[in-house]
């Protein structure tokens, strides 16, 4: 697949949140305001891309030669957890401004299944390094897009006249479902 | 079979070991020295992360105080109590913080203030404000949709009879309601002050009287009777200067429209007489 096809595919058609239902937890948790969701998006982009690249090399250079492909999940989780820790330390030392801007979102990404999902997807789809990077950037943009749209909708919902039993999470889940249905409109684009 | 297990375990173990070593080395290299003061200050702060101090959360304020960018009493919510604890850590003095509360400068409830139309729409003052400045005949008064009630994290504001009322004991003067009120009729005032000119209508007396029974009509009786000359008159409104006010309550007794409300006990005395 070409780079553009991968990007369009992960951002719109196979959006990790709307089509593959990964990363629902932060999608519902940090989509209250547009600026915080943008912060989360940036942090996810950073970690997903880095984690995918590292996982790609570990798969190709360690797991495949040793015939340990079945250890993929546990090794990738280990890599992601260690990587987030490392990135956190580096950011804290080198760019405290970015560190405090990302705040709590950075450590939260450890448990974000989008990161693991993208890393495994890259291997399953047999992507090369360039395609891996494209896929991870596309996936993060798709995730950020989903978060931003959701935050926009929820900011509007704050002022809407919602029936009492639907207030709060029910209406959020309903809008998320409707948005997911809307995104199926992109099917067949790639 | 056995070799498979050994290879798997040792690979995973070695990987884990490498990550562990790398992380522990990294934590040494990238160690950031945290001022022990910051942590101590952070512990005595309330931890609500309300942002009323103007810093990003309690962590932000703690480091600001430790670095001397903020005063010991910068935490408005914590008040004197926290200021004292902080000053014990930093060694400075608490520089007597005065407790403050939010005051809603309007009393025009459904009975006293006239309405121009009946508003049916989003229950939010900011939304109602867009529609001709709201349904109240007085364009300065409280709309009573409760935007401030929702903004208050401390459950200190209620809408009673169509007007927001602050519970003085619960209020911590964080200023969230002041920010959200589209009419700008909420302000922060010293806690010990009992008397406020609760009207923001700057129109002439007759026009005020036409729209609200409890507004300031600009008679200046309070200005002339104040023993400390602390009440000024501008824009057709009386204004009490809180720095000199001695809480005598003479203005409240003289006010013909009760725009400067009486204290609860005085109201009871008045009814009894």
């Amino acid at each position: 697949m070409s780079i553009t096809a991968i990007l369009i595919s992960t951002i719109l058609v196979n959006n990790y949140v709307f089509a593959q239902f990964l990363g629902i937890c932060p999608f519902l948790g940090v989509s209250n305001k547009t600026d915080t969701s943008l912060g989360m998006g940036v942090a996810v982009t950073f970690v997903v891309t880095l984690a995918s690249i590292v996982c790609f090399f570990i798969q190709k250079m360690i797991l495949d030669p040793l015939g340990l492909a079945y250890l993929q999940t546990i090794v990738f989780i280990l890599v992601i957890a260690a990587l987030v820790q490392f990135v956190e330390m580096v950011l804290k030392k080198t760019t405290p401004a970015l560190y405090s801007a990302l705040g709590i979102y950075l450590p939260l990404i450890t448990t974000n299944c989008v990161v693991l999902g993208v890393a495994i997807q890259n291997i399953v789809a047999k992507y090369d390094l360039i395609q891996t990077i494209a896929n991870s950037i596309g996936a993060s943009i798709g995730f950020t897009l989903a978060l931003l749209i959701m935050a926009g909708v929820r900011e509007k919902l704050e002022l809407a006249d919602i029936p009492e039993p639907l207030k709060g999470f029910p209406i959020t889940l309903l809008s998320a479902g409707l948005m997911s249905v809307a995104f199926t409109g992109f099917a067949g684009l790639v | 079979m056995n070799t498979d297990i050994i290879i798997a375990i040792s690979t995973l173990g070695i990987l884990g070991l490498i990550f562990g070593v790398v992380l522990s080395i990294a934590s040494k290299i990238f160690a950031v020295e945290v001022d022990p003061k910051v942590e101590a200050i952070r512990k005595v702060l309330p931890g609500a992360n309300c942002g009323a101090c103007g810093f990003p959360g309690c962590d932000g304020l703690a480091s600001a105080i430790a670095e001397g960018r903020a005063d010991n009493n910068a935490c408005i919510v914590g008040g004197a109590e926290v200021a004292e604890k902080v000053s014990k850590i930093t060694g400075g003095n608490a520089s007597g913080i005065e407790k403050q509360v939010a005051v809603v400068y309007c009393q025009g409830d459904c009975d006293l203030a006239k309405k121009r139309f009946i508003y049916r729409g989003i229950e939010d003052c900011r939304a109602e404000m867009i529609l001709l400045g709201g349904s109240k005949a007085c364009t300065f008064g409280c709309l009573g949709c409760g935007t401030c009630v929702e903004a208050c994290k401390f459950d200190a504001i209620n809408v009673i009879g169509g007007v927001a009322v602050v519970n003085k004991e619960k209020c911590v003067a964080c200023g969230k309601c002041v920010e959200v009120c589209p009419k700008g009729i909420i302000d922060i005032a010293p806690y010990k002050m009992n008397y406020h000119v609760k009207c923001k209508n700057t129109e002439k007396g007759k026009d005020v009287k036409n729209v609200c029974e409890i507004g300031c009509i600009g008679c200046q009786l309070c200005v002339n009777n104040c023993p400390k000359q602390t009440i000024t008159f501008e824009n057709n409104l009386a204004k009490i200067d809180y720095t000199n006010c001695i809480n005598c309550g003479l203005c409240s007794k003289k006010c013909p429209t009760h725009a400067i409300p009486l204290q609860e006990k005085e109201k009871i005395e008045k009814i009894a007489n």
Side-chain angles (χ1 to χ4, degrees):
Chain A
M1 266 209 282
S2 72
I3 304 297
T4 2
I6 291 178
L7 280 177
I8 292 174
S9 162
T10 44
I11 295 174
L12 297 174
V13 185
N14 294 318
N15 187 299
Y16 272 82
V17 176
F18 290 136
Q20 308 195 33
F21 302 106
L22 290 173
I24 301 292
C25 171
F27 171 63
L28 294 174
V30 277
S31 58
N32 290 327
K33 283 181 182 160
T34 38
D35 49 344
T36 49
S37 56
L38 195 64
M40 181 69 180
V42 172
V44 165
T45 310
F46 193 60
V47 173
V48 165
T49 314
L50 220 58
S52 297
I53 296 170
V54 175
C55 287
F56 177 82
F57 281 117
I58 287 199
Q59 176 80 22
K60 296 287 169 213
M61 295 164 95
I62 299 174
L63 297 184
D64 279 351
L66 291 174
L68 292 174
Y70 61 91
L71 282 180
Q72 197 186 44
T73 312
I74 192 164
V75 171
F76 282 10
I77 289 176
L78 191 69
V79 170
I80 292 163
L83 199 69
V84 171
Q85 284 285 314
F86 183 72
V87 167
E88 202 183 338
M89 277 188 259
V90 174
L91 280 187
K92 200 172 182 181
K93 179 79 175 179
T94 52
T95 46
L98 184 63
Y99 174 77
S100 56
L102 294 179
I104 186 76
Y105 304 126
L106 200 54
L108 271 182
I109 295 168
T110 321
T111 54
N112 187 346
C113 52
V114 163
V115 188
L116 182 67
V118 174
I120 290 180
Q121 177 73 33
N122 291 331
I123 307 300
V124 172
K126 297 194 171 61
Y127 287 148
D128 61 25
L129 186 60
I130 305 292
Q131 286 172 324
T132 295
I133 294 171
N135 190 42
S136 13
I137 290 176
S140 342
I141 293 175
F143 178 79
T144 315
L145 183 75
L147 225 61
L148 272 178
I149 297 176
M150 194 62 195
V153 170
R154 283 178 79 169
E155 278 181 359
K156 289 267 185 266
L157 282 179
E158 290 266 301
L159 292 176
D161 187 15
I162 303 162
E164 198 62 41
L166 289 180
K167 272 185 184 163
F169 251 99
I171 195 75
T172 311
L173 290 174
L174 274 177
S175 356
L178 286 174
M179 225 181 314
S180 171
V181 172
F183 262 70
T184 56
F186 289 115
L189 206 63
V190 177
Chain B
M1 173 63 199
N2 274 338
T3 49
D4 277 357
I5 296 174
I6 291 166
I7 291 175
I9 292 173
S10 53
T11 313
L12 210 57
I14 290 167
L15 271 179
L17 197 69
I18 293 171
F19 286 136
V21 170
V22 168
L23 279 184
S24 59
I25 292 171
S27 72
K28 283 276 182 292
I29 297 173
F30 295 108
V32 179
E33 279 180 32
V34 181
D35 193 342
K37 262 192 204 170
V38 176
E39 266 177 50
I41 296 170
R42 175 66 189 78
K43 270 186 194 150
V44 297
L45 291 175
N49 286 322
C50 66
C53 51
F55 291 94
C58 294
D59 286 325
L61 180 62
S63 52
I65 293 177
E67 288 165 24
R69 285 184 286 123
D71 290 331
N72 289 343
N73 57 17
C75 180
I76 300 163
V77 176
E81 201 183 313
V82 168
E84 203 175 302
K85 283 183 195 161
V86 172
S87 53
K88 263 185 201 155
I89 298 163
T90 55
N93 62 340
S95 57
I97 185 171
E98 194 174 22
K99 191 177 177 193
Q100 294 189 308
V101 286
V103 176
V104 180
Y105 288 95
C106 178
Q107 309 183 87
D109 60 21
C110 299
D111 300 328
L112 299 167
K114 293 195 181 87
K115 293 227 168 193
R116 285 186 288 175
F117 55 87
I118 294 166
Y119 174 76
R120 283 221 182 100
I122 301 163
E123 276 291 306
D124 190 294
C125 300
R126 289 165 291 190
E128 185 176 340
M129 180 76 183
I130 298 166
L131 201 68
L132 304 169
S135 61
K136 263 207 178 132
C138 169
T139 51
F140 299 88
C142 174
L143 297 173
C145 281
T147 298
C148 49
V149 178
E150 267 178 48
C152 184
K153 286 186 182 168
F154 301 90
D155 200 20
I157 303 189
N158 291 306
V159 171
I160 301 171
V163 161
V165 178
V166 176
N167 182 335
K168 228 176 152 178
E169 302 313 316
K170 281 187 180 173
C171 180
V172 296
C174 68
K176 287 271 188 254
C177 49
V178 180
E179 265 171 45
V180 295
C181 180
K183 293 282 188 188
I185 51 166
I186 310 179
D187 218 338
I188 304 292
Y191 173 83
K192 61 179 187 200
M193 291 300 141
N194 292 332
Y195 301 96
H196 310 277
V197 182
K198 290 202 171 178
C199 182
K200 286 276 186 185
N201 196 325
T202 56
E203 282 171 34
K204 289 255 177 350
K206 191 168 174 294
D207 299 327
V208 176
K209 198 77 191 167
N210 281 342
V211 293
C212 181
E213 288 174 31
I214 200 161
C216 173
I217 51 170
C219 65
Q220 303 195 38
L221 268 177
C222 52
V223 179
N224 297 331
N225 280 292
C226 181
K228 285 279 177 188
Q229 278 90 44
T230 178
I231 304 180
T232 52
F233 188 78
E234 55 187 63
N235 275 336
N236 295 317
L237 267 182
K239 190 170 182 295
I240 300 175
D241 180 5
Y242 294 122
T243 47
N244 292 327
C245 177
I246 52 166
N247 267 335
C248 67
L250 208 60
C251 48
S252 167
K253 289 194 187 87
K254 292 287 175 191
C255 182
T257 59
H258 301 297
I260 307 177
L262 293 161
Q263 291 291 290
E264 281 304 317
K265 62 171 198 260
E266 290 169 348
K267 278 184 199 163
I268 296 163
E269 276 168 24
K270 203 177 174 186
I271 294 164
N273 291 336

